[in-house]
Amino acid sequence: CVGIVVFLTTYGYLQEKIMTVPYDVDTTEECKTDVKKCLFQHSIFLVFFNRLLPAVVAFVTLYMQSEPLSPGVPIWKYFLVSSSNVASTAARYEALKYLAFPTQMLGKSAKMVPVMIWSRLVGGKNFTWKSWMIACGVTGGWICYFLSGAENSASKSEFTSATIVIYGMFFMFCYLASDGFTSTLQEKLFTTNEKMSKYNQMAWVNSCAAILSLIAVFQSGKFLEALDFCHKHPRFLIDVLILSASATAAQY
């Protein structure tokens, strides 16, 4: 429990820093004229980094424990989990442009509703009306907190209140819906496939997610631009490596 809290706290701090704080503003001439040039904009590139390292570590673990390296279920199922995982992570990073990290973390409590919906549709689970009322009550509480304007804008005065509400709510909805589907499908894969170990799922889900996010980066035409940002701002690369290491440790 302590490990999860420590690593996810580190992950959360660096996540918000990378997406909202410009790098080398005082030392780079182009940043002095345009701060946005020192602000990292490519969230899907971060997803690629954060999935590549856990995949490598998981495959090494499988090899050291003499477990099969082949996928425990048909590969398309891993890609299905990975697609929603990539979508949820990208939406979470984008949401940080409009919401402060505490607001986003509090919003994760609203994942109860989409998880229950996906569990009903995918897993065939039934919930009592009391469970639905509690879940809706928690979600309503976060919406009230969000609309109150408390800790909403992570980018200070760059956005209007209307922009924060519209885009912040949109990306949070995408994040919660995708993340709820990911966790529900992962649970179903675990319960219906006895031969699947947690390391096998970590290895293949992260590998598929890394492939999907890399394809998305190339399609956006921002891959070389993201690499150039890494070259110009070494501190950014260090933060990304620590972010990925924290995500890997938290998964374990």
Side-chain angles (χ1 to χ4, degrees):
C1 289
V2 172
I4 289 175
V5 171
V6 169
F7 289 121
L8 287 184
T9 299
T10 304
Y11 178 83
Y13 166 74
L14 288 173
Q15 179 180 257
E16 184 174 31
K17 176 187 176 184
I18 289 171
M19 295 303 299
T20 61
V21 179
Y23 283 85
D24 304 321
V25 176
D26 298 328
T27 58
T28 307
E29 287 297 327
E30 64 176 357
C31 296
K32 293 180 180 179
T33 56
D34 188 0
V35 177
K36 285 187 176 182
K37 290 184 177 180
C38 289
L39 187 64
F40 188 71
Q41 302 285 344
H42 316 299
S43 57
I44 199 69
F45 186 77
L46 279 184
V47 179
F48 167 68
F49 255 101
N50 287 343
R51 296 297 173 265
L52 183 62
L53 183 60
V56 172
V57 173
F59 273 117
V60 171
T61 304
L62 288 173
Y63 177 77
M64 293 179 64
Q65 294 190 351
S66 301
E67 293 187 27
L69 298 179
S70 58
V73 296
I75 193 70
W76 67 267
K77 293 185 177 182
Y78 285 120
F79 269 106
L80 186 60
V81 175
S82 301
S83 60
S84 61
N85 181 259
V86 170
S88 66
T89 308
R92 186 174 69 215
Y93 287 136
E94 288 298 315
L96 283 173
K97 295 178 181 179
Y98 307 95
L99 308 177
F101 187 71
T103 303
Q104 188 189 85
M105 283 297 97
L106 187 62
K108 290 193 73 171
S109 61
K111 195 174 79 169
M112 296 167 63
V113 173
V115 165
M116 292 170 69
I117 293 174
W118 286 122
S119 296
R120 181 73 182 92
L121 296 175
V122 177
K125 293 184 178 180
N126 293 314
F127 301 95
T128 64
W129 67 270
K130 289 184 178 179
S131 297
W132 285 106
M133 291 292 290
I134 292 172
C136 291
V138 171
T139 301
W142 175 76
I143 292 175
C144 290
Y145 175 83
F146 171 74
L147 294 178
S148 71
E151 295 293 333
N152 277 347
S153 178
S155 300
K156 308 299 185 288
S157 59
E158 183 179 354
F159 302 109
T160 63
S161 297
T163 300
I164 292 171
V165 170
I166 294 173
Y167 285 95
M169 187 69 78
F170 171 75
F171 284 117
M172 280 300 296
F173 172 80
C174 294
Y175 162 54
L176 295 173
S178 301
D179 198 39
F181 178 78
T182 301
S183 57
T184 302
L185 189 55
Q186 280 183 315
E187 180 184 10
K188 185 174 182 179
L189 290 179
F190 260 128
T191 55
T192 56
N193 296 276
E194 297 180 356
K195 296 182 179 180
M196 179 192 294
S197 69
K198 57 180 177 291
Y199 302 117
N200 188 282
Q201 183 162 182
M202 279 182 62
W204 284 100
V205 168
N206 282 301
S207 296
C208 294
I211 293 172
L212 291 174
S213 55
L214 185 61
I215 292 173
V217 174
F218 273 112
Q219 284 186 335
S220 68
K222 301 295 185 180
F223 184 74
L224 293 179
E225 187 177 322
L227 288 181
D228 184 59
F229 192 92
C230 295
H231 175 71
K232 289 182 178 180
H233 307 284
R235 181 62 206 175
F236 164 77
L237 186 58
I238 294 174
D239 286 345
V240 170
L241 290 174
I242 297 175
L243 180 78
S244 299
S246 299
T248 304
Q251 282 189 39
Y252 270 82

mmCIF file of all heavy atoms in Angstrom, residues 101-112 142 145 172 175-176:
data_model
loop_
_atom_site.group_PDB
_atom_site.id
_atom_site.type_symbol
_atom_site.label_atom_id
_atom_site.label_comp_id
_atom_site.label_asym_id
_atom_site.label_seq_id
_atom_site.Cartn_x
_atom_site.Cartn_y
_atom_site.Cartn_z
ATOM 1 N N PHE A 101 -4.387 18.787 -10.938
ATOM 2 C CA PHE A 101 -4.294 17.362 -10.643
ATOM 3 C C PHE A 101 -5.231 16.929 -9.513
ATOM 4 O O PHE A 101 -5.858 15.867 -9.619
ATOM 5 C CB PHE A 101 -2.842 17.002 -10.297
ATOM 6 C CG PHE A 101 -2.611 15.531 -10.134
ATOM 7 C CD1 PHE A 101 -2.634 14.676 -11.224
ATOM 8 C CD2 PHE A 101 -2.395 14.987 -8.880
ATOM 9 C CE1 PHE A 101 -2.435 13.321 -11.076
ATOM 10 C CE2 PHE A 101 -2.189 13.633 -8.711
ATOM 11 C CZ PHE A 101 -2.214 12.797 -9.819
ATOM 12 N N PRO A 102 -5.375 17.692 -8.407
ATOM 13 C CA PRO A 102 -6.313 17.271 -7.355
ATOM 14 C C PRO A 102 -7.752 17.132 -7.857
ATOM 15 O O PRO A 102 -8.473 16.215 -7.459
ATOM 16 C CB PRO A 102 -6.201 18.383 -6.302
ATOM 17 C CG PRO A 102 -4.840 18.946 -6.503
ATOM 18 C CD PRO A 102 -4.606 18.881 -7.987
ATOM 19 N N THR A 103 -8.163 18.034 -8.758
ATOM 20 C CA THR A 103 -9.508 17.938 -9.317
ATOM 21 C C THR A 103 -9.665 16.669 -10.145
ATOM 22 O O THR A 103 -10.687 15.975 -10.069
ATOM 23 C CB THR A 103 -9.798 19.170 -10.210
ATOM 24 O OG1 THR A 103 -9.627 20.355 -9.443
ATOM 25 C CG2 THR A 103 -11.217 19.130 -10.758
ATOM 26 N N GLN A 104 -8.633 16.360 -10.936
ATOM 27 C CA GLN A 104 -8.691 15.157 -11.752
ATOM 28 C C GLN A 104 -8.712 13.896 -10.894
ATOM 29 O O GLN A 104 -9.461 12.959 -11.169
ATOM 30 C CB GLN A 104 -7.491 15.107 -12.701
ATOM 31 C CG GLN A 104 -7.576 13.980 -13.710
ATOM 32 C CD GLN A 104 -6.288 13.814 -14.482
ATOM 33 O OE1 GLN A 104 -5.367 13.147 -14.047
ATOM 34 N NE2 GLN A 104 -6.213 14.444 -15.649
ATOM 35 N N MET A 105 -7.889 13.873 -9.849
ATOM 36 C CA MET A 105 -7.836 12.695 -8.988
ATOM 37 C C MET A 105 -9.151 12.485 -8.255
ATOM 38 O O MET A 105 -9.628 11.364 -8.100
ATOM 39 C CB MET A 105 -6.694 12.820 -7.975
ATOM 40 C CG MET A 105 -5.318 12.554 -8.553
ATOM 41 S SD MET A 105 -5.117 10.850 -9.174
ATOM 42 C CE MET A 105 -5.440 11.059 -10.923
ATOM 43 N N LEU A 106 -9.748 13.589 -7.803
ATOM 44 C CA LEU A 106 -11.053 13.476 -7.150
ATOM 45 C C LEU A 106 -12.092 12.964 -8.140
ATOM 46 O O LEU A 106 -12.995 12.199 -7.779
ATOM 47 C CB LEU A 106 -11.479 14.836 -6.591
ATOM 48 C CG LEU A 106 -12.750 14.844 -5.736
ATOM 49 C CD1 LEU A 106 -12.562 13.976 -4.496
ATOM 50 C CD2 LEU A 106 -13.104 16.268 -5.325
ATOM 51 N N GLY A 107 -11.918 13.350 -9.421
ATOM 52 C CA GLY A 107 -12.846 12.903 -10.456
ATOM 53 C C GLY A 107 -12.783 11.406 -10.709
ATOM 54 O O GLY A 107 -13.724 10.834 -11.258
ATOM 55 N N LYS A 108 -11.685 10.748 -10.309
ATOM 56 C CA LYS A 108 -11.589 9.298 -10.510
ATOM 57 C C LYS A 108 -12.650 8.554 -9.706
ATOM 58 O O LYS A 108 -13.005 7.422 -10.041
ATOM 59 C CB LYS A 108 -10.193 8.800 -10.112
ATOM 60 C CG LYS A 108 -9.088 9.230 -11.063
ATOM 61 C CD LYS A 108 -7.815 8.466 -10.805
ATOM 62 C CE LYS A 108 -7.924 7.034 -11.280
ATOM 63 N NZ LYS A 108 -6.629 6.321 -11.238
ATOM 64 N N SER A 109 -13.139 9.200 -8.635
ATOM 65 C CA SER A 109 -14.209 8.555 -7.859
ATOM 66 C C SER A 109 -15.472 8.398 -8.700
ATOM 67 O O SER A 109 -16.297 7.519 -8.450
ATOM 68 C CB SER A 109 -14.519 9.376 -6.603
ATOM 69 O OG SER A 109 -14.958 10.684 -6.950
ATOM 70 N N ALA A 110 -15.611 9.252 -9.729
ATOM 71 C CA ALA A 110 -16.772 9.171 -10.611
ATOM 72 C C ALA A 110 -16.675 7.982 -11.561
ATOM 73 O O ALA A 110 -17.613 7.738 -12.337
ATOM 74 C CB ALA A 110 -16.916 10.471 -11.412
ATOM 75 N N LYS A 111 -15.566 7.242 -11.511
ATOM 76 C CA LYS A 111 -15.419 6.069 -12.381
ATOM 77 C C LYS A 111 -16.348 4.936 -11.956
ATOM 78 O O LYS A 111 -16.546 3.967 -12.697
ATOM 79 C CB LYS A 111 -13.963 5.583 -12.355
ATOM 80 C CG LYS A 111 -13.626 4.620 -13.478
ATOM 81 C CD LYS A 111 -12.154 4.270 -13.499
ATOM 82 C CE LYS A 111 -11.812 3.237 -12.454
ATOM 83 N NZ LYS A 111 -10.451 2.689 -12.641
ATOM 84 N N MET A 112 -16.937 5.055 -10.763
ATOM 85 C CA MET A 112 -17.845 4.020 -10.290
ATOM 86 C C MET A 112 -18.982 3.767 -11.274
ATOM 87 O O MET A 112 -19.328 2.617 -11.559
ATOM 88 C CB MET A 112 -18.417 4.413 -8.921
ATOM 89 C CG MET A 112 -17.387 4.523 -7.810
ATOM 90 S SD MET A 112 -18.045 5.349 -6.344
ATOM 91 C CE MET A 112 -19.334 4.199 -5.865
ATOM 92 N N TRP A 142 -18.688 15.134 -7.177
ATOM 93 C CA TRP A 142 -17.516 15.632 -7.913
ATOM 94 C C TRP A 142 -17.919 16.704 -8.924
ATOM 95 O O TRP A 142 -17.210 17.692 -9.101
ATOM 96 C CB TRP A 142 -16.815 14.488 -8.657
ATOM 97 C CG TRP A 142 -15.691 15.012 -9.504
ATOM 98 C CD1 TRP A 142 -14.462 15.422 -9.078
ATOM 99 C CD2 TRP A 142 -15.713 15.242 -10.919
ATOM 100 N NE1 TRP A 142 -13.720 15.878 -10.131
ATOM 101 C CE2 TRP A 142 -14.460 15.783 -11.273
ATOM 102 C CE3 TRP A 142 -16.668 15.024 -11.908
ATOM 103 C CZ2 TRP A 142 -14.127 16.117 -12.586
ATOM 104 C CZ3 TRP A 142 -16.339 15.360 -13.221
ATOM 105 C CH2 TRP A 142 -15.088 15.897 -13.547
ATOM 106 N N TYR A 145 -18.245 19.933 -7.174
ATOM 107 C CA TYR A 145 -16.907 20.450 -6.851
ATOM 108 C C TYR A 145 -16.255 21.047 -8.094
ATOM 109 O O TYR A 145 -15.671 22.131 -8.055
ATOM 110 C CB TYR A 145 -16.043 19.319 -6.296
ATOM 111 C CG TYR A 145 -14.608 19.702 -6.027
ATOM 112 C CD1 TYR A 145 -14.240 20.335 -4.839
ATOM 113 C CD2 TYR A 145 -13.620 19.414 -6.955
ATOM 114 C CE1 TYR A 145 -12.924 20.676 -4.593
ATOM 115 C CE2 TYR A 145 -12.299 19.756 -6.711
ATOM 116 C CZ TYR A 145 -11.953 20.380 -5.533
ATOM 117 O OH TYR A 145 -10.642 20.724 -5.304
ATOM 118 N N MET A 172 -12.472 14.437 -19.218
ATOM 119 C CA MET A 172 -12.700 13.582 -18.053
ATOM 120 C C MET A 172 -13.714 12.499 -18.370
ATOM 121 O O MET A 172 -13.569 11.348 -17.938
ATOM 122 C CB MET A 172 -13.178 14.428 -16.864
ATOM 123 C CG MET A 172 -12.066 15.152 -16.124
ATOM 124 S SD MET A 172 -10.811 14.035 -15.427
ATOM 125 C CE MET A 172 -11.779 13.122 -14.222
ATOM 126 N N TYR A 175 -11.910 9.942 -20.406
ATOM 127 C CA TYR A 175 -10.989 9.213 -19.537
ATOM 128 C C TYR A 175 -11.725 8.180 -18.687
ATOM 129 O O TYR A 175 -11.336 7.006 -18.623
ATOM 130 C CB TYR A 175 -10.239 10.210 -18.649
ATOM 131 C CG TYR A 175 -9.590 9.604 -17.438
ATOM 132 C CD1 TYR A 175 -8.713 8.525 -17.537
ATOM 133 C CD2 TYR A 175 -9.852 10.126 -16.169
ATOM 134 C CE1 TYR A 175 -8.119 7.977 -16.415
ATOM 135 C CE2 TYR A 175 -9.260 9.583 -15.046
ATOM 136 C CZ TYR A 175 -8.396 8.516 -15.174
ATOM 137 O OH TYR A 175 -7.815 7.969 -14.064
ATOM 138 N N LEU A 176 -12.801 8.597 -18.034
ATOM 139 C CA LEU A 176 -13.532 7.701 -17.142
ATOM 140 C C LEU A 176 -14.203 6.558 -17.903
ATOM 141 O O LEU A 176 -14.190 5.405 -17.456
ATOM 142 C CB LEU A 176 -14.572 8.493 -16.348
ATOM 143 C CG LEU A 176 -14.012 9.527 -15.367
ATOM 144 C CD1 LEU A 176 -15.141 10.364 -14.775
ATOM 145 C CD2 LEU A 176 -13.216 8.852 -14.262
#
